[in-house]
Amino acid sequence: MQNQKSICLLLAILLISTQLCGCVASAIIGGAAVVGTSMHDRRSLGQQANDESFELKALQVIPQKYHDNSHFNVTAYNSDILITGEAPNSESANGIAAAVKTIPNVKRVYNELRVAKISTLAERSKDSYITSKVKARLVDTPNVSANHIKVVTEHAEVFLMGLVTQAEATAAIEATRRVAGVAKVINLLEILSATQLKQSSINSHLEDEKNRTKRNHNNYYYSN
């Protein structure tokens, strides 16, 4: 009986250990995927952080009454903000956009809210599916990197945001138009020349190195 208890205990420990290893491995792989995507983004890591901050600030500055009567999504890319969704009337749509425009350092606010009833979960699921198909099409499109383009879908209308050349923009727009279910493509891509992209890449690298040095300095300071 004692031997049976010992064997059961050993098996339980092995099972838990296996599950923990699996969780750790998943976390590492997931973290690596996020880092990999960030490294291939044409925005600097600092700009990516700023865009995430803009999205959070937008949700905070929009008055609660609009949260209650509207459905909206806020997407920030390179300091531009896109607002999509539904509002019950023009006053609410304009009020949401006006609140977002108060956020410091935002370059442009694209108010694409439509006056309509709030979309259903089925409609939002359909939009998510279209977004996934567009991303897959961009991956297979020559001379276009899906990591450089942000895809947002609302009511089967696809918004494209990103830092691209004119050739990349043209290829991405045409590829998106050929995706089944896409009703319209709204081009919000920021066009840069090859020279500008190269300089932007250099500036992003320098900014990231500066931030990394600053973090290392702070870590050294606090550890000593």
Side-chain angles (χ1 to χ4, degrees):
M1 180 66 68
Q2 184 64 34
N3 289 338
Q4 290 180 341
K5 289 183 178 180
S6 299
I7 292 173
C8 289
L9 179 60
L10 179 60
L11 290 174
I13 292 173
L14 288 173
L15 177 61
I16 293 173
S17 299
T18 302
Q19 291 177 334
L20 286 175
C21 289
C23 292
V24 171
S26 297
I28 292 173
I29 293 172
V34 172
V35 172
T37 301
S38 298
M39 292 302 292
H40 286 90
D41 198 308
R42 281 176 173 162
R43 297 170 296 171
S44 67
L45 294 177
Q47 182 61 58
Q48 293 176 54
N50 287 341
D51 288 338
E52 291 179 3
S53 176
F54 288 145
E55 293 177 357
L56 292 175
K57 288 178 180 177
L59 297 178
Q60 294 170 353
V61 301
I62 294 173
Q64 185 59 44
K65 63 179 180 180
Y66 299 135
H67 284 270
D68 295 336
N69 70 3
S70 306
H71 159 251
F72 51 83
N73 297 303
V74 178
T75 306
Y77 194 97
N78 203 40
S79 298
D80 289 343
I81 293 183
L82 167 66
I83 312 172
T84 56
E86 308 84 32
N89 48 57
S90 297
E91 180 183 356
S92 296
N94 293 333
I96 292 171
V100 174
K101 289 178 181 178
T102 64
I103 301 174
N105 302 319
V106 170
K107 292 191 301 186
R108 288 177 291 265
V109 175
Y110 297 105
N111 182 11
E112 294 292 339
L113 285 164
R114 60 172 60 194
V115 177
K117 66 177 182 180
I118 294 178
S119 59
T120 65
L121 290 177
E123 290 171 329
R124 296 177 201 176
S125 296
K126 181 179 178 181
D127 286 336
S128 296
Y129 180 53
I130 291 174
T131 294
S132 66
K133 290 197 296 181
V134 170
K135 289 181 177 179
R137 178 63 62 85
L138 292 178
V139 168
D140 292 335
T141 301
N143 303 318
V144 173
S145 173
N147 290 330
H148 299 159
I149 298 176
K150 184 79 171 180
V151 181
V152 178
T153 306
E154 198 79 46
H155 294 278
E157 296 182 350
V158 178
F159 300 83
L160 300 179
M161 307 176 77
L163 299 173
V164 296
T165 63
Q166 183 60 63
E168 290 172 333
T170 300
I173 293 169
E174 289 304 314
T176 303
R177 283 175 177 162
R178 293 195 297 270
V179 174
V182 173
K184 183 179 180 181
V185 179
I186 295 88
N187 176 21
L188 301 180
L189 295 166
E190 190 172 344
I191 305 301
L192 299 177
S193 66
T195 301
Q196 288 174 314
L197 279 178
K198 183 177 181 180
Q199 186 59 51
S200 176
S201 177
I202 293 173
N203 292 340
S204 295
H205 177 72
L206 292 175
E207 180 183 341
D208 291 341
E209 284 298 322
K210 180 180 178 180
N211 291 333
R212 188 177 296 108
T213 300
K214 184 177 180 180
R215 287 195 300 271
N216 290 338
H217 173 76
N218 290 338
N219 291 337
Y220 175 81
Y221 176 81
Y222 287 115
S223 63
N224 289 274

